[in-house]
């Protein structure tokens, strides 16, 4: 009987595991943590982060141009045919995903933290990056593998994207030559060229659908204010020579503007003529002038910052201009120059992507 009683006792042993109980306090704590994370992200996120999308979208356009199967190109140009079309599609989709995410974050910031957006608008550097979202979308529109430039919706999209650019043009340019809060002699800095680039990229995109009048209009706005801005910056007035050290990479925008101008004029005329070549040579000279002075950027490279992405877009714009120059002039030297600039642009973009992934906590927190 004792043995049976022991067996019965053993069989009655049960293993009980307590399941976690989510109390109201626990749910409330998780809700507070999520809200704090969203608040922290929206307060830290600013228009300067669109430097990343400028780089990615321009890279997607460069890859599309390089892997283009049409035309009778030089032997050196055919090296880029080794790049699989799938790589371009993946890059374009990645650019689209990041641009959509950034745009959603910034629109949310506009609704929830409009005071911060207003502070950006009043800042002499921050206001210029308000043009960056439109530039990114215009570049992505040009590189889209499924968009027909001849379609009506292409024009509609162009007008939607150019709307913010025109509003900012009227506000900023109007204050430059009238009584306003902004004086060009005091507010001019290298990032001011983004307003010019936005108009030139708009003209470039419009010319692809043969919207000649719209393209010439935007080109005239861009090139006129570029001349005024270039002369102002070239004088290095004491009042506008106060750019923070960490923003030194934005000096590369000096050759991004003439590069996009050459591409815009090429699209309007339909040929990379003497005017386009002069603008391309100017951008090439400014590029050589900057890279020959590495000490100018040494202090800004000590610690990773999103401003580093300012290196990539101008290099890609210069590489894009070199592809049109090589296609027009032909010959070994122009194509060798195109390959060198394209490889530099690609390597810099990849390096920046790696640094960004390695320092993602710095950007988020």
């Amino acid at each position: 009987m004792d043995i049976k009683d022991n067996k019965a006792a053993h069989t009655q042993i049960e293993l009980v595991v307590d399941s976690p109980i989510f109390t109201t306090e626990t749910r409330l704590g998780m809700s507070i943590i999520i809200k704090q994370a969203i608040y922290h992200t929206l307060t830290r996120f600013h228009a300067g982060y669109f430097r990343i999308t400028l780089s990615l979208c321009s890279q997607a356009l460069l890859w599309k141009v390089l892997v283009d199967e049409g035309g009778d190109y030089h032997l050196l140009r055919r090296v880029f045919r080794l790049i699989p079309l799938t790589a371009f599609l993946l890059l374009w989709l990645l650019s689209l995903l990041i641009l959509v995410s950034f745009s959603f974050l910034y629109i949310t910031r506009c609704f929830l933290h409009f005071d911060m957006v207003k502070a950006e608008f009043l800042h002499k550097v921050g206001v210029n990056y308000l043009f960056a979202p439109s530039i990114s979308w215009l570049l992505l529109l040009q590189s889209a593998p499924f968009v027909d430039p001849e379609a009506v919706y292409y024009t509609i999209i162009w007008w939607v994207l150019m709307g913010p650019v025109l509003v900012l043009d009227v506000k900023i340019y109007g204050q430059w030559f009238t009584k306003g809060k902004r004086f060009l002699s005091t507010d001019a800095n290298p990032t001011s060229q983004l307003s010019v680039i936005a108009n030139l990229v708009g003209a470039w995109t419009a010319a692809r659908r043969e919207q000649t009048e719209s393209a010439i209009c935007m080109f005239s706005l861009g090139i006129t204010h570029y001349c005024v801005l270039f002369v102002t910056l070239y004088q290095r007035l004491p009042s506008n020579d106060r750019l923070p050290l960490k923003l030194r990479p934005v000096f590369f925008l000096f050759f991004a503007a003439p590069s996009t101008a050459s591409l815009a004029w090429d699209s309007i005329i339909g040929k990379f003529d003497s005017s386009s070549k002069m603008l391309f040579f100017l951008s090439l000279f400014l590029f050589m002038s900057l890279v020959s002075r590495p000490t100018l950027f040494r202090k800004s490279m000590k610690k990773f910052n999103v401003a580093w992405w300012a290196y990539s877009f101008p290099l890609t714009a210069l590489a894009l201009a070199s592809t049109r120059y090589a296609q027009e002039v032909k010959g070994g030297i122009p194509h060798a120059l195109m390959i060198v600039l394209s490889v530099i642009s690609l390597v810099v973009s990849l390096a920046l992507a790696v640094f960004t992934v390695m320092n993602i906590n710095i950007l988020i927190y």
Side-chain angles (χ1 to χ4, degrees):
M1 289 293 294
D2 294 337
I3 295 175
K4 291 181 179 181
D5 292 339
N6 290 335
K7 289 182 178 180
H10 285 303
T11 58
Q12 292 175 359
I13 296 175
E14 295 181 0
L15 181 64
V16 178
V17 179
D18 293 332
S19 58
I21 300 175
F22 292 97
T23 62
T24 304
E25 291 79 5
T26 305
R27 294 191 182 96
L28 182 60
M30 293 177 63
S31 176
I32 292 174
I33 292 173
I34 293 173
K35 289 181 179 179
Q36 288 178 343
I38 295 174
Y39 174 82
H40 187 75
T41 301
L42 292 178
T43 53
R44 281 188 59 87
F45 188 81
H46 52 82
Y49 279 83
F50 282 94
R51 296 182 181 98
I52 299 174
T53 59
L54 280 175
S55 172
L56 294 176
C57 294
S58 58
Q59 273 293 316
L61 182 57
L62 177 62
W63 283 34
K64 180 182 180 180
V65 172
L66 293 177
V67 302
D68 183 19
E69 295 294 337
D72 183 18
Y73 296 131
H74 192 272
L75 179 63
L76 292 175
R77 175 73 175 269
R78 296 173 189 172
V79 173
F80 292 102
R81 303 290 176 81
L82 300 175
I83 301 175
L85 185 60
T86 306
F88 158 68
L89 294 175
L90 290 175
L91 176 61
W92 190 87
L93 289 173
L94 175 64
S95 304
L96 176 64
L97 176 62
I98 294 177
L99 184 53
V100 169
S101 302
F102 281 16
S103 300
F104 174 76
L105 282 174
Y106 201 78
I107 291 172
T108 306
R109 176 185 168 92
C110 290
F111 282 106
L112 300 181
H113 301 286
F114 183 74
D115 55 328
M116 295 183 180
V117 178
K118 184 179 179 180
E120 282 186 79
F121 178 77
L122 296 176
H123 194 272
K124 67 177 184 180
V125 174
V127 65
N128 298 305
Y129 279 98
L130 296 179
F131 289 94
S134 294
I135 300 173
S136 300
W137 279 109
L138 288 168
L139 292 171
L140 196 69
L141 177 63
Q142 288 196 54
S143 62
F146 53 83
V147 173
D148 180 14
E150 300 298 326
V152 177
Y153 65 81
Y154 184 94
T155 304
I156 297 174
I157 295 173
W158 182 85
W159 277 108
V160 171
L161 297 176
M162 288 304 298
V165 174
L166 292 171
V167 171
L168 289 169
D169 280 348
V170 172
K171 186 66 176 178
I172 296 174
Y173 293 161
Q175 290 185 348
W176 281 2
F177 68 89
T178 60
K179 292 182 179 180
K181 296 180 180 180
R182 302 180 193 277
F183 293 92
L184 183 60
S185 58
T186 58
D187 286 356
N189 63 85
T191 63
S192 301
Q193 296 172 103
L194 282 170
S195 62
V196 170
I197 293 172
N199 288 284
L200 295 173
V201 173
W204 179 16
T205 308
R208 294 191 66 221
R209 197 184 183 274
E210 297 183 355
Q211 295 176 252
T212 308
E213 299 302 316
S214 299
I216 293 176
C217 174
M218 299 312 301
F219 183 85
S220 64
L221 285 175
I223 202 66
T224 302
H225 288 93
Y226 172 68
C227 293
V228 175
L229 186 59
F230 185 75
V231 172
T232 304
L233 293 173
Y234 224 84
Q235 294 177 13
R236 296 186 61 188
L237 299 174
S239 56
N240 58 31
D241 194 20
R242 300 172 184 173
L243 199 67
L245 290 175
K246 67 178 183 179
L247 294 181
R248 287 285 178 84
V250 302
F251 273 85
F252 270 46
L253 290 172
F254 268 106
F255 62 85
S259 296
T260 51
S262 68
L263 291 165
W265 187 249
D266 166 58
S267 295
I268 293 171
I269 298 300
K271 180 181 179 181
F272 205 80
D273 62 359
S274 299
S275 299
S276 295
K277 291 177 184 177
M278 287 190 292
L279 290 166
F280 171 66
F281 291 144
L282 173 61
S283 60
L284 198 59
F285 167 76
L286 294 172
F287 166 69
M288 296 300 297
S289 299
L290 287 171
V291 298
S292 63
R293 292 168 174 80
T295 54
L296 180 66
F297 309 98
R298 184 176 300 170
K299 292 183 179 180
S300 64
M301 301 298 292
K302 290 182 177 180
K303 184 179 180 181
F304 178 77
N305 187 281
V306 70
W308 284 18
W309 280 94
Y311 290 120
S312 181
F313 167 67
L315 288 170
T316 308
L318 182 60
L320 282 165
S322 69
T323 61
R324 290 294 299 122
Y325 175 71
Q327 186 177 353
E328 181 68 27
V329 177
K330 300 180 172 38
I333 294 178
H335 280 84
L337 177 64
M338 177 199 69
I339 291 175
V340 170
L341 293 174
S342 299
V343 170
I344 291 175
S345 170
L346 175 59
V347 170
V348 169
S349 298
L350 287 175
L352 288 171
V354 172
F355 276 112
T356 302
V357 172
M358 292 173 59
N359 298 274
I360 192 68
N361 290 334
I362 297 177
L363 298 181
I364 297 178
Y365 302 106

